[in-house]
Amino acid sequence: MFDDRSPIYLQIADGIKNDVLSGALKEDDQVMSTNQYAAFYRINPATAAKGFAQLVDEGVLYKRRGIGMFVSPDAPAKLRAERRQRFFTDVVEPMLDEAKRVGIGVDEITSYLGSRP
Amino acid sequence: MIEVRGVTIRYGRTVAVDDVDLTLPADTIYGLLGRNGSGKTSLLSALACYRKPTTGTVLVDGEEAFENPRIARRTSFIRDTLDVQDGYRVSAAFCLTESLRPGWDAEYAGKLADVLQLDTRKRISALSRGQRSVLGVILGLATRAPLTILDEPYLGMDAVARTLFYRELLADYLAHPRTIILSTHLIEEVAELFERIIIMDRGRILLHDETDALRGRGVTVTGPAERVTAFAHGHTVLGEQSLAGVRALTLDGPLDPDEIARGERDGLAFGPLGLQDLFVHLTSQPLEATR
């Protein structure tokens, strides 16, 4: 589930963000408690708590005292905007670098994209 | 909370623990790592009130630990000798522990024996190495001591038994938070349970940090020798390899993302280092390099 090559709390936060983006978690849905999450994924609860705290800090989750944590109403839109912003630098630029290395021109890429059903 | 202050343990001329200071907040799962002979068991014996340090003190909740019955009652130390007579049956070992330990949960011990498939009618002398370890683990967990110390408790246990043990340890910790210190060589299979990791090397504490902070701390940089060398300037180098103009360095990071991006534009390749590899790099340095 997790690898030990980057902090697990960041992997937890990324996993939940992906669930929000994909719609698996919807606005105002309750997420697992840190203890449930720790038991389910077999990790230390302090690590899980740090992942959730990060998401609260970023405004992806909000807390209801004594009840639990929930997906913020504006989280899907906010996350989508962030990912859209990073799409060209994180996804397209590395692709263009690779295309350049192997001698594929931009026209070839556009014609490939245009020919897709 | 456990406070280790200036603890040194000597056996004759051998220094097993060398002037160690350590503060361990309560209700946390600690992993104690170190090579054979690094002083883990000696340090744990001092934490468990089993051994008086040659110099220095161990305070548990502010009280001197050694020969302190109040603290001894609240501490469970599981080591390979088991501290139970060989002629006893497993069930008798359970009863004995129950009579000595206020926190003992007989029902939970029975459940663990079922899950870990330990026949409680067997005599301890008839148990295999792995079964002895399972007995130790059950005594350690079912005692529910506020300070539970498990010194390489998995010896001889197969992968299935170890997995079941880790699962039970975490589940019971979630239900009954307490301080658990587990020493191990099997870092990768158990690291996710540790909130903090302590690495010992030659009697000293080499490192004490959140486990998560160590993930991604080590970084490998590979590329043309000159550029790699220039990039590594100002970083601690943990390991190196060179072949035909290509150099690979292992650095003690973590590195700044901007720094990595700059390096990548310069034709360098970066890779993260797993916990096991980081541990090996940190504890395989020659003596001069770490002192």
Side-chain angles (χ1 to χ4, degrees), chain B residues 5 11 15 58 65-66 101 109 125 140 153 164 175-176 197 240 249 269 282 289:
Chain B
R5 295 205 184 135
Y11 307 107
V15 180
V58 176
F66 185 68
R101 297 299 194 159
S125 54
L164 293 169
H176 306 275
I197 282 183
E240 66 166 302
L249 290 181
L282 287 173

Side-chain angles (χ1 to χ4, degrees), chain A residues 13-67:
Chain A
D14 282 346
I16 289 175
K17 284 181 192 171
N18 281 334
D19 285 348
V20 171
L21 272 171
S22 74
L25 281 173
K26 297 198 178 12
E27 293 94 325
D28 295 314
D29 273 359
Q30 184 166 12
V31 297
M32 275 194 251
S33 74
T34 52
N35 268 16
Q36 285 170 332
Y37 197 91
F40 189 83
Y41 290 108
R42 309 224 165 83
I43 59 169
N44 189 286
T47 313
K50 204 172 160 189
F52 285 109
Q54 166 95 4
L55 291 168
V56 171
D57 278 353
E58 291 181 23
V60 176
L61 300 181
Y62 67 92
K63 274 189 205 172
R64 266 195 235 158
R65 201 172 292 275
I67 305 177

